[in-house]
Amino acid sequence: MSLKDDFPILSREVNGHPLVYLDNAATTQKPQVVIDAMSQYYSNSNANVHRAVHTLAGEATEGYEDCRRWIKSWFNAEKAILTGGTTEAINLVAHGWGRANLQAGDAIVLTEMEHHSDIVPWQILSEERGIEIRYVPVLDDFTLDMEAYIASLENAKLVCVVHTSNVLGVRNPVDELISLAHKAGAKILIDAAQAVPHDRIDFEQFNADFMAFSAHKMCGPTGIGALLVKNDAFEQMQPFMGGGDMIESVTTSGSTYQKNEHKFEAGTPKIAEAVGWSAAFDWMSKIDLPAHHERLLNIAKWTAEQLRGLGFTVYGRHQSGDGAVVSFLHPTIHSEDFARFLDAKGFAVRTGHHCAQPLLNRLGITGTIRASFYLYNTQDEAEKFIQIVQYIVEKFA
Amino acid sequence: MKYPQALQELIDEFSFIDDKMEILEYVYELSEEVVEFPIANWSEKTRIIGCQSEAHLEVVVKDGIVELRCGADSKIVQGMMGLVTIAINGRTAEDVLQLKPDFAQEMGILNSLSPSRSNGFRNLFDKVMLEIRIKQ
Ligand SMILES: Cc1ncc(COP(=O)(O)O)c(C=O)c1O
Protein backbone atom coordinates (compact mmCIF):
# COMPACT_ATOMS: atom_id res chain seq x y z
CA MET A 1 0.00 0.00 0.00
CA SER A 2 1.33 3.42 -0.85
CA LEU A 3 0.70 6.59 1.10
CA LYS A 4 -1.24 7.85 -1.89
CA ASP A 5 -4.00 5.35 -1.24
CA ASP A 6 -4.89 7.22 1.94
CA PHE A 7 -5.79 10.33 -0.11
CA PRO A 8 -8.97 9.84 -2.14
CA ILE A 9 -8.43 12.97 -4.26
CA LEU A 10 -5.15 11.61 -5.62
CA SER A 11 -6.94 8.94 -7.61
CA ARG A 12 -8.90 11.43 -9.68
CA GLU A 13 -8.05 12.56 -13.17
CA VAL A 14 -7.58 16.11 -14.37
CA ASN A 15 -8.12 16.81 -18.07
CA GLY A 16 -7.92 13.11 -18.82
CA HIS A 17 -4.63 12.58 -16.97
CA PRO A 18 -3.90 11.25 -13.48
CA LEU A 19 -3.65 14.21 -11.09
CA VAL A 20 -0.12 15.07 -10.00
CA TYR A 21 -0.54 17.54 -7.18
CA LEU A 22 2.49 19.82 -6.77
CA ASP A 23 0.88 22.78 -5.03
CA ASN A 24 1.47 21.56 -1.50
CA ALA A 25 2.99 24.79 -0.21
CA ALA A 26 -0.42 26.38 -0.85
CA THR A 27 -2.35 23.56 0.80
CA THR A 28 -1.89 19.82 1.18
CA GLN A 29 -4.45 17.13 0.40
CA LYS A 30 -6.40 15.40 3.17
CA PRO A 31 -6.26 11.72 4.04
CA GLN A 32 -9.55 9.82 4.22
CA VAL A 33 -9.32 9.61 8.02
CA VAL A 34 -9.50 13.42 8.27
CA ILE A 35 -12.50 13.61 5.97
CA ASP A 36 -14.19 10.78 7.89
CA ALA A 37 -13.52 12.37 11.27
CA MET A 38 -15.17 15.63 10.22
CA SER A 39 -18.11 13.88 8.63
CA GLN A 40 -18.45 11.62 11.66
CA TYR A 41 -18.43 14.64 13.95
CA TYR A 42 -21.29 16.29 12.06
CA SER A 43 -23.20 13.00 11.77
CA ASN A 44 -22.81 12.04 15.41
CA SER A 45 -21.60 14.64 17.84
CA ASN A 46 -22.40 18.11 16.50
CA ALA A 47 -23.14 20.60 19.29
CA ASN A 48 -21.68 23.83 20.61
CA VAL A 49 -18.71 23.62 22.95
CA HIS A 50 -18.09 24.66 26.56
CA ARG A 51 -21.74 25.62 27.04
CA ALA A 52 -24.15 22.84 27.88
CA VAL A 53 -24.38 19.72 29.99
CA HIS A 54 -25.95 17.42 27.41
CA THR A 55 -24.07 14.47 25.96
CA LEU A 56 -23.47 15.94 22.51
CA ALA A 57 -22.08 19.17 23.99
CA GLY A 58 -19.70 17.05 26.04
CA GLU A 59 -18.53 15.12 22.98
CA ALA A 60 -18.08 18.28 20.93
CA THR A 61 -16.10 19.94 23.75
CA GLU A 62 -13.91 16.86 24.11
CA GLY A 63 -13.36 16.78 20.33
CA TYR A 64 -12.33 20.43 20.27
CA GLU A 65 -10.10 20.27 23.35
CA ASP A 66 -8.57 17.03 22.12
CA CYS A 67 -7.09 19.02 19.22
CA ARG A 68 -5.45 21.40 21.68
CA ARG A 69 -3.99 18.40 23.52
CA TRP A 70 -2.62 17.07 20.23
CA ILE A 71 -1.00 20.42 19.42
CA LYS A 72 0.52 20.81 22.89
CA SER A 73 1.99 17.35 22.91
CA TRP A 74 3.09 17.39 19.24
CA PHE A 75 4.97 20.66 19.72
CA ASN A 76 5.68 20.44 23.44
CA ALA A 77 3.97 23.77 24.13
CA GLU A 78 2.41 25.22 27.26
CA LYS A 79 -0.14 27.41 25.56
CA ALA A 80 -1.86 26.73 22.24
CA ILE A 81 -4.51 29.18 21.06
CA LEU A 82 -6.67 27.83 18.27
CA THR A 83 -7.08 30.34 15.44
CA GLY A 84 -8.35 30.40 11.88
CA GLY A 85 -4.83 29.79 10.57
CA THR A 86 -1.38 31.36 10.40
CA THR A 87 -2.78 34.69 9.27
CA GLU A 88 -5.18 34.95 12.18
CA ALA A 89 -2.47 33.80 14.59
CA ILE A 90 -0.13 36.58 13.46
CA ASN A 91 -2.94 39.13 13.62
CA LEU A 92 -3.63 37.92 17.15
CA VAL A 93 -0.04 38.71 18.12
CA ALA A 94 -0.24 42.11 16.42
CA HIS A 95 -3.47 43.07 18.14
CA GLY A 96 -3.36 40.98 21.31
CA TRP A 97 0.29 41.47 22.21
CA GLY A 98 1.36 44.39 19.98
CA ARG A 99 -1.38 46.81 21.03
CA ALA A 100 -0.71 46.12 24.70
CA ASN A 101 3.08 46.31 24.52
CA LEU A 102 4.15 48.57 21.65
CA GLN A 103 4.07 52.34 21.63
CA ALA A 104 4.90 55.12 19.20
CA GLY A 105 8.62 55.09 18.44
CA ASP A 106 9.07 51.37 19.20
CA ALA A 107 10.69 49.29 16.48
CA ILE A 108 9.85 45.85 15.14
CA VAL A 109 11.97 43.78 12.79
CA LEU A 110 10.60 41.92 9.74
CA THR A 111 12.44 40.46 6.76
CA GLU A 112 12.09 40.85 3.00
CA MET A 113 11.27 37.15 2.91
CA GLU A 114 7.94 37.39 4.76
CA HIS A 115 4.58 36.23 3.50
CA HIS A 116 2.05 39.09 3.27
CA SER A 117 0.35 37.71 6.37
CA ASP A 118 3.50 38.57 8.36
CA ILE A 119 3.77 42.06 6.85
CA VAL A 120 0.33 43.60 6.51
CA PRO A 121 -0.80 43.16 10.16
CA TRP A 122 2.35 44.99 11.23
CA GLN A 123 1.84 47.76 8.69
CA ILE A 124 -1.69 48.27 10.01
CA LEU A 125 -0.39 48.44 13.58
CA SER A 126 2.48 50.67 12.50
CA GLU A 127 0.10 53.19 10.93
CA GLU A 128 -2.15 53.12 13.95
CA ARG A 129 0.61 53.41 16.54
CA GLY A 130 3.54 55.07 14.84
CA ILE A 131 5.72 51.98 15.16
CA GLU A 132 8.88 51.72 13.11
CA ILE A 133 9.24 48.64 10.88
CA ARG A 134 12.75 47.51 9.90
CA TYR A 135 13.17 45.01 7.07
CA VAL A 136 16.15 42.65 7.03
CA PRO A 137 17.39 42.31 3.42
CA VAL A 138 17.70 39.05 1.52
CA LEU A 139 21.13 38.41 -0.03
CA ASP A 140 21.85 37.12 -3.54
CA ASP A 141 22.26 33.58 -2.19
CA PHE A 142 18.64 33.77 -0.94
CA THR A 143 19.63 33.96 2.73
CA LEU A 144 19.01 36.72 5.25
CA ASP A 145 21.65 39.38 5.73
CA MET A 146 22.65 38.44 9.28
CA GLU A 147 24.80 41.50 9.81
CA ALA A 148 21.86 43.71 8.95
CA TYR A 149 19.71 41.56 11.25
CA ILE A 150 22.01 42.13 14.20
CA ALA A 151 22.13 45.87 13.50
CA SER A 152 18.34 46.06 13.21
CA LEU A 153 17.87 44.55 16.67
CA GLU A 154 19.01 47.68 18.46
CA ASN A 155 16.13 48.77 20.71
CA ALA A 156 13.74 46.50 18.83
CA LYS A 157 10.81 45.14 20.81
CA LEU A 158 9.70 42.34 18.51
CA VAL A 159 11.10 40.26 15.64
CA CYS A 160 8.78 38.49 13.18
CA VAL A 161 10.42 36.07 10.83
CA VAL A 162 9.45 33.25 8.54
CA HIS A 163 10.96 29.86 9.47
CA THR A 164 10.93 28.48 5.91
CA SER A 165 10.19 30.63 2.87
CA ASN A 166 7.11 29.60 0.90
CA VAL A 167 8.75 30.93 -2.29
CA LEU A 168 12.39 29.86 -1.94
CA GLY A 169 12.09 26.93 0.41
CA VAL A 170 15.03 28.45 2.30
CA ARG A 171 15.05 27.55 5.98
CA ASN A 172 16.30 30.50 7.99
CA PRO A 173 18.81 30.00 10.82
CA VAL A 174 15.96 30.17 13.31
CA ASP A 175 17.91 29.09 16.40
CA GLU A 176 20.40 31.87 15.85
CA LEU A 177 17.67 34.40 15.02
CA ILE A 178 15.86 33.53 18.24
CA SER A 179 18.87 33.69 20.53
CA LEU A 180 20.07 36.97 18.99
CA ALA A 181 16.60 38.51 19.39
CA HIS A 182 16.48 37.47 23.03
CA LYS A 183 19.97 38.73 23.69
CA ALA A 184 18.85 42.11 22.35
CA GLY A 185 15.82 42.04 24.64
CA ALA A 186 13.26 41.53 21.87
CA LYS A 187 10.47 38.97 21.68
CA ILE A 188 10.29 36.84 18.55
CA LEU A 189 7.44 35.42 16.48
CA ILE A 190 8.15 32.59 14.06
CA ASP A 191 5.88 32.08 11.03
CA ALA A 192 6.12 28.30 10.87
CA ALA A 193 3.43 27.75 8.20
CA GLN A 194 5.92 26.01 5.87
CA ALA A 195 7.96 24.39 8.64
CA VAL A 196 5.45 22.31 10.60
CA PRO A 197 4.45 20.15 7.62
CA HIS A 198 8.02 18.76 7.56
CA ASP A 199 9.49 19.33 10.96
CA ARG A 200 8.11 18.35 14.35
CA ILE A 201 9.37 21.41 16.23
CA ASP A 202 9.81 21.26 20.02
CA PHE A 203 8.47 24.68 20.98
CA GLU A 204 9.97 24.73 24.48
CA GLN A 205 13.44 23.92 23.22
CA PHE A 206 12.99 26.14 20.18
CA ASN A 207 12.50 29.01 22.63
CA ALA A 208 10.59 31.43 20.38
CA ASP A 209 7.93 33.50 22.13
CA PHE A 210 5.24 32.96 19.50
CA MET A 211 4.84 30.45 16.70
CA ALA A 212 2.07 30.53 14.08
CA PHE A 213 0.94 27.81 11.66
CA SER A 214 -2.04 26.37 9.76
CA ALA A 215 -3.59 22.90 9.80
CA HIS A 216 -4.26 22.80 6.07
CA LYS A 217 -0.58 22.65 5.15
CA MET A 218 -0.11 19.49 7.23
CA CYS A 219 -2.98 17.28 6.00
CA GLY A 220 -5.57 18.98 8.24
CA PRO A 221 -8.65 20.99 7.27
CA THR A 222 -8.69 24.60 6.08
CA GLY A 223 -9.91 27.33 8.41
CA ILE A 224 -7.98 26.30 11.53
CA GLY A 225 -4.48 26.90 12.85
CA ALA A 226 -2.74 27.75 16.05
CA LEU A 227 -0.62 30.24 17.91
CA LEU A 228 1.81 28.76 20.41
CA VAL A 229 2.81 31.23 23.11
CA LYS A 230 5.36 31.18 25.92
CA ASN A 231 3.80 31.70 29.35
CA ASP A 232 5.33 35.11 30.02
CA ALA A 233 4.30 36.47 26.60
CA PHE A 234 0.85 34.97 27.17
CA GLU A 235 0.50 36.99 30.37
CA GLN A 236 1.28 40.16 28.40
CA MET A 237 -1.52 39.59 25.88
CA GLN A 238 -4.89 41.35 25.89
CA PRO A 239 -7.94 39.92 24.16
CA PHE A 240 -8.46 41.30 20.68
CA MET A 241 -11.83 39.81 19.87
CA GLY A 242 -14.56 40.02 22.48
CA GLY A 243 -17.59 37.79 22.67
CA GLY A 244 -18.93 34.55 24.08
CA ASP A 245 -16.66 31.79 25.38
CA MET A 246 -13.81 34.15 26.28
CA ILE A 247 -15.37 35.69 29.39
CA GLU A 248 -15.67 34.77 33.03
CA SER A 249 -18.56 37.09 33.69
CA VAL A 250 -20.22 39.98 31.89
CA THR A 251 -22.17 42.82 33.47
CA THR A 252 -23.31 46.08 31.97
CA SER A 253 -20.48 47.81 33.76
CA GLY A 254 -17.75 45.52 32.48
CA SER A 255 -16.48 41.97 31.97
CA THR A 256 -13.83 39.67 33.32
CA TYR A 257 -12.00 37.26 31.05
CA GLN A 258 -10.99 33.64 31.11
CA LYS A 259 -7.42 33.05 32.18
CA ASN A 260 -6.50 30.31 29.72
CA GLU A 261 -6.42 30.13 25.91
CA HIS A 262 -10.20 30.55 25.72
CA LYS A 263 -9.60 34.23 26.44
CA PHE A 264 -8.47 34.51 22.81
CA GLU A 265 -11.07 32.23 21.24
CA ALA A 266 -14.21 34.37 21.29
CA GLY A 267 -17.33 32.95 19.70
CA THR A 268 -18.22 29.44 18.56
CA PRO A 269 -14.88 28.00 17.49
CA LYS A 270 -13.86 25.72 14.61
CA ILE A 271 -15.09 22.50 16.14
CA ALA A 272 -15.33 20.17 13.13
CA GLU A 273 -12.00 21.53 11.90
CA ALA A 274 -10.39 20.81 15.27
CA VAL A 275 -11.70 17.25 15.12
CA GLY A 276 -10.30 16.91 11.60
CA TRP A 277 -6.95 18.31 12.64
CA SER A 278 -6.69 15.79 15.49
CA ALA A 279 -7.22 13.03 12.93
CA ALA A 280 -4.46 14.55 10.81
CA PHE A 281 -2.05 14.54 13.78
CA ASP A 282 -2.98 10.94 14.48
CA TRP A 283 -2.35 10.01 10.84
CA MET A 284 0.96 11.90 10.76
CA SER A 285 2.13 10.32 13.99
CA LYS A 286 2.46 7.05 12.04
CA ILE A 287 4.67 8.63 9.37
CA ASP A 288 8.44 8.96 9.57
CA LEU A 289 8.47 12.72 8.91
CA PRO A 290 12.26 13.29 8.90
CA ALA A 291 12.78 10.41 6.44
CA HIS A 292 10.08 11.77 4.15
CA HIS A 293 11.47 15.26 4.38
CA GLU A 294 14.87 14.07 3.26
CA ARG A 295 13.31 12.11 0.40
CA LEU A 296 11.21 15.10 -0.73
CA LEU A 297 14.11 17.52 -0.49
CA ASN A 298 16.10 15.19 -2.73
CA ILE A 299 13.25 15.16 -5.25
CA ALA A 300 13.12 18.97 -5.13
CA LYS A 301 16.88 19.18 -5.58
CA TRP A 302 16.80 16.79 -8.53
CA THR A 303 13.94 18.75 -10.11
CA ALA A 304 15.81 22.04 -9.64
CA GLU A 305 18.92 20.60 -11.32
CA GLN A 306 16.91 19.34 -14.29
CA LEU A 307 15.19 22.71 -14.67
CA ARG A 308 18.51 24.56 -14.63
CA GLY A 309 19.70 22.19 -17.33
CA LEU A 310 16.67 23.15 -19.43
CA GLY A 311 17.53 26.85 -19.20
CA PHE A 312 15.32 27.86 -16.29
CA THR A 313 16.35 30.16 -13.47
CA VAL A 314 15.72 28.45 -10.12
CA TYR A 315 15.18 30.59 -7.03
CA GLY A 316 16.38 28.56 -4.07
CA ARG A 317 19.28 26.41 -2.88
CA HIS A 318 17.80 23.12 -1.55
CA GLN A 319 20.21 22.62 1.30
CA SER A 320 19.65 20.33 4.24
CA GLY A 321 16.59 21.47 6.21
CA ASP A 322 15.10 23.55 3.38
CA GLY A 323 11.53 23.08 2.20
CA ALA A 324 10.77 20.81 -0.75
CA VAL A 325 9.82 23.78 -2.91
CA VAL A 326 11.12 24.65 -6.38
CA SER A 327 10.47 28.17 -7.70
CA PHE A 328 11.52 28.70 -11.29
CA LEU A 329 11.14 30.87 -14.37
CA HIS A 330 11.76 30.36 -18.06
CA PRO A 331 13.50 33.18 -19.96
CA THR A 332 10.83 33.36 -22.68
CA ILE A 333 7.73 31.31 -21.84
CA HIS A 334 5.34 33.16 -19.53
CA SER A 335 4.83 31.42 -16.19
CA GLU A 336 1.05 31.40 -16.52
CA ASP A 337 1.16 29.83 -19.94
CA PHE A 338 3.45 27.21 -18.46
CA ALA A 339 1.08 26.47 -15.59
CA ARG A 340 -1.84 26.20 -18.00
CA PHE A 341 -0.02 23.72 -20.22
CA LEU A 342 0.98 21.71 -17.15
CA ASP A 343 -2.63 21.71 -15.95
CA ALA A 344 -3.71 20.37 -19.34
CA LYS A 345 -1.53 17.34 -18.54
CA GLY A 346 -2.85 16.92 -14.99
CA PHE A 347 -0.07 18.73 -13.08
CA ALA A 348 -1.11 21.28 -10.45
CA VAL A 349 1.49 24.00 -9.82
CA ARG A 350 1.20 27.53 -8.54
CA THR A 351 2.15 30.73 -10.34
CA GLY A 352 2.23 34.35 -9.29
CA HIS A 353 3.71 36.29 -6.42
CA HIS A 354 2.89 33.68 -3.74
CA CYS A 355 1.80 36.46 -1.36
CA ALA A 356 5.41 37.61 -1.02
CA GLN A 357 5.67 40.67 -3.25
CA PRO A 358 8.50 42.36 -1.32
CA LEU A 359 10.63 39.24 -1.82
CA LEU A 360 9.86 39.10 -5.54
CA ASN A 361 10.64 42.81 -5.85
CA ARG A 362 13.96 42.08 -4.21
CA LEU A 363 14.59 39.29 -6.74
CA GLY A 364 13.60 41.66 -9.56
CA ILE A 365 10.70 39.51 -10.79
CA THR A 366 6.91 39.64 -10.52
CA GLY A 367 6.22 35.95 -10.07
CA THR A 368 7.51 32.41 -10.40
CA ILE A 369 6.19 28.96 -11.18
CA ARG A 370 6.31 26.92 -8.00
CA ALA A 371 6.27 23.15 -7.63
CA SER A 372 6.09 22.00 -4.02
CA PHE A 373 6.27 18.39 -2.89
CA TYR A 374 4.65 16.56 0.00
CA LEU A 375 4.44 13.12 1.59
CA TYR A 376 2.53 11.44 -1.27
CA ASN A 377 4.72 12.77 -4.11
CA THR A 378 7.30 10.52 -5.73
CA GLN A 379 10.47 10.71 -7.81
CA ASP A 380 8.47 9.11 -10.60
CA GLU A 381 6.08 12.09 -10.60
CA ALA A 382 9.02 14.49 -10.67
CA GLU A 383 10.40 12.66 -13.71
CA LYS A 384 7.05 12.86 -15.51
CA PHE A 385 6.88 16.52 -14.58
CA ILE A 386 10.28 17.19 -16.14
CA GLN A 387 9.23 15.30 -19.31
CA ILE A 388 6.20 17.57 -19.77
CA VAL A 389 8.26 20.66 -18.98
CA GLN A 390 10.76 19.59 -21.61
CA TYR A 391 7.96 19.07 -24.13
CA ILE A 392 6.58 22.56 -23.43
CA VAL A 393 10.02 24.14 -23.76
CA GLU A 394 10.73 22.36 -27.04
CA LYS A 395 7.37 23.35 -28.45
CA PHE A 396 7.06 26.96 -27.31
CA ALA A 397 10.48 28.42 -26.48
CA MET B 1 -27.22 33.16 -31.78
CA LYS B 2 -25.83 33.52 -35.30
CA TYR B 3 -22.16 34.44 -35.26
CA PRO B 4 -20.13 36.24 -37.96
CA GLN B 5 -18.64 33.72 -40.37
CA ALA B 6 -15.02 33.91 -39.22
CA LEU B 7 -16.03 33.32 -35.61
CA GLN B 8 -18.43 30.51 -36.51
CA GLU B 9 -15.63 28.74 -38.40
CA LEU B 10 -13.40 28.95 -35.33
CA ILE B 11 -16.16 27.63 -33.08
CA ASP B 12 -16.62 24.69 -35.45
CA GLU B 13 -12.92 23.94 -35.49
CA PHE B 14 -12.68 24.01 -31.72
CA SER B 15 -15.63 21.66 -31.41
CA PHE B 16 -13.50 18.88 -32.93
CA ILE B 17 -10.77 19.17 -30.30
CA ASP B 18 -11.25 17.62 -26.91
CA ASP B 19 -7.67 17.39 -25.69
CA LYS B 20 -7.03 20.34 -23.45
CA MET B 21 -3.39 20.65 -24.47
CA GLU B 22 -4.48 20.96 -28.08
CA ILE B 23 -7.08 23.59 -27.21
CA LEU B 24 -4.42 25.61 -25.41
CA GLU B 25 -1.95 25.19 -28.26
CA TYR B 26 -4.59 26.48 -30.65
CA VAL B 27 -5.39 29.47 -28.41
CA TYR B 28 -1.64 30.09 -28.17
CA GLU B 29 -1.44 30.30 -31.98
CA LEU B 30 -4.32 32.78 -32.05
CA SER B 31 -2.00 35.23 -30.29
CA GLU B 32 -0.70 35.98 -33.80
CA GLU B 33 -4.12 37.33 -34.79
CA VAL B 34 -4.05 40.54 -32.75
CA VAL B 35 -3.42 43.98 -34.18
CA GLU B 36 -0.35 45.11 -32.34
CA PHE B 37 -0.70 47.56 -29.48
CA PRO B 38 2.85 48.76 -28.73
CA ILE B 39 4.03 48.29 -25.14
CA ALA B 40 5.04 51.95 -25.12
CA ASN B 41 1.32 52.82 -25.18
CA TRP B 42 0.39 50.52 -22.28
CA SER B 43 -0.89 52.39 -19.24
CA GLU B 44 -3.18 52.00 -16.25
CA LYS B 45 -6.04 53.08 -18.53
CA THR B 46 -5.40 50.39 -21.12
CA ARG B 47 -4.83 47.63 -18.59
CA ILE B 48 -7.30 44.76 -18.20
CA ILE B 49 -8.00 44.39 -14.51
CA GLY B 50 -8.45 40.88 -13.21
CA CYS B 51 -5.78 39.40 -15.44
CA GLN B 52 -2.82 38.04 -13.49
CA SER B 53 -0.63 38.80 -16.46
CA GLU B 54 -0.11 42.20 -18.04
CA ALA B 55 -2.80 42.61 -20.70
CA HIS B 56 -3.64 45.85 -22.46
CA LEU B 57 -6.01 47.03 -25.16
CA GLU B 58 -7.29 50.01 -27.08
CA VAL B 59 -10.36 50.17 -29.32
CA VAL B 60 -10.61 52.50 -32.29
CA VAL B 61 -13.99 53.14 -33.96
CA LYS B 62 -13.51 54.80 -37.36
CA ASP B 63 -16.47 55.46 -39.63
CA GLY B 64 -18.46 53.14 -37.40
CA ILE B 65 -16.00 50.26 -37.92
CA VAL B 66 -14.31 48.63 -34.93
CA GLU B 67 -10.59 47.94 -34.61
CA LEU B 68 -9.19 46.28 -31.48
CA ARG B 69 -5.46 46.69 -30.82
CA CYS B 70 -4.06 44.67 -27.95
CA GLY B 71 -1.28 42.62 -26.41
CA ALA B 72 -0.36 40.60 -23.33
CA ASP B 73 2.77 39.12 -21.85
CA SER B 74 1.08 35.73 -21.60
CA LYS B 75 0.66 34.20 -25.04
CA ILE B 76 -2.48 32.34 -24.00
CA VAL B 77 -4.07 35.56 -22.81
CA GLN B 78 -3.02 37.22 -26.05
CA GLY B 79 -4.55 34.22 -27.85
CA MET B 80 -7.88 35.00 -26.21
CA MET B 81 -7.44 38.53 -27.45
CA GLY B 82 -6.78 37.12 -30.92
CA LEU B 83 -10.08 35.31 -30.68
CA VAL B 84 -11.94 38.50 -29.80
CA THR B 85 -10.09 40.25 -32.61
CA ILE B 86 -11.39 37.70 -35.11
CA ALA B 87 -14.87 38.11 -33.65
CA ILE B 88 -15.07 41.89 -33.92
CA ASN B 89 -12.47 43.59 -36.11
CA GLY B 90 -13.75 45.12 -39.34
CA ARG B 91 -17.38 44.92 -38.22
CA THR B 92 -19.69 47.79 -37.36
CA ALA B 93 -19.89 48.92 -33.76
CA GLU B 94 -23.62 48.30 -33.87
CA ASP B 95 -23.11 44.66 -34.89
CA VAL B 96 -20.33 44.06 -32.40
CA LEU B 97 -22.42 45.35 -29.50
CA GLN B 98 -24.90 42.52 -30.17
CA LEU B 99 -22.21 39.96 -29.38
CA LYS B 100 -22.42 38.00 -26.10
CA PRO B 101 -19.36 36.43 -24.46
CA ASP B 102 -21.00 32.97 -24.53
CA PHE B 103 -19.05 31.95 -27.63
CA ALA B 104 -15.96 31.35 -25.50
CA GLN B 105 -17.89 28.81 -23.47
CA GLU B 106 -19.24 27.21 -26.62
CA MET B 107 -15.66 26.75 -27.78
CA GLY B 108 -14.75 25.00 -24.55
CA ILE B 109 -12.29 27.74 -23.74
CA LEU B 110 -13.85 28.98 -20.54
CA ASN B 111 -14.08 25.43 -19.23
CA SER B 112 -10.53 24.85 -20.20
CA LEU B 113 -9.18 27.87 -18.36
CA SER B 114 -9.04 28.52 -14.66
CA PRO B 115 -11.68 30.67 -12.96
CA SER B 116 -9.35 33.62 -12.65
CA ARG B 117 -8.46 33.38 -16.31
CA SER B 118 -12.13 33.02 -17.24
CA ASN B 119 -12.70 36.17 -15.26
CA GLY B 120 -9.87 37.64 -17.26
CA PHE B 121 -11.70 36.79 -20.47
CA ARG B 122 -14.88 38.30 -19.11
CA ASN B 123 -13.02 41.45 -18.11
CA LEU B 124 -11.38 41.59 -21.53
CA PHE B 125 -14.73 41.23 -23.26
CA ASP B 126 -16.48 43.75 -21.04
CA LYS B 127 -13.70 46.30 -21.45
CA VAL B 128 -13.85 45.98 -25.24
CA MET B 129 -17.63 46.50 -25.20
CA LEU B 130 -17.38 49.45 -22.86
CA GLU B 131 -14.76 51.16 -25.02
CA ILE B 132 -16.91 50.67 -28.12
CA ARG B 133 -19.94 52.16 -26.38
CA ILE B 134 -17.89 55.18 -25.31
CA LYS B 135 -16.34 55.70 -28.74
CA GLN B 136 -19.34 54.86 -30.88
C1 LIG C 1 5.05 31.30 5.02
C2 LIG C 1 3.57 31.47 5.11
N1 LIG C 1 3.06 32.29 6.04
C3 LIG C 1 1.73 32.46 6.17
C4 LIG C 1 0.83 31.82 5.35
C5 LIG C 1 -0.63 32.09 5.52
O1 LIG C 1 -1.32 30.96 5.94
P1 LIG C 1 -2.89 30.93 6.02
O2 LIG C 1 -3.38 31.43 4.69
O3 LIG C 1 -3.24 29.50 6.25
O4 LIG C 1 -3.32 31.82 7.12
C6 LIG C 1 1.32 30.96 4.37
C7 LIG C 1 0.40 30.26 3.47
O5 LIG C 1 0.31 30.50 2.30
C8 LIG C 1 2.73 30.79 4.25
O6 LIG C 1 3.24 29.99 3.31
Side-chain angles (χ1 to χ4, degrees), chain B residues 9 20 22 45 59 87 106 117 129:
Chain B
E9 279 171 13
K20 184 167 173 189
E22 273 181 57
K45 253 181 66 188
V59 180
E106 235 170 281
R117 180 58 64 234
M129 291 299 169

Side-chain angles (χ1 to χ4, degrees), chain A residues 278-291:
Chain A
S278 296
F281 277 119
D282 189 35
W283 184 85
M284 286 183 68
S285 69
K286 295 164 188 141
I287 302 279
D288 184 347
L289 266 190

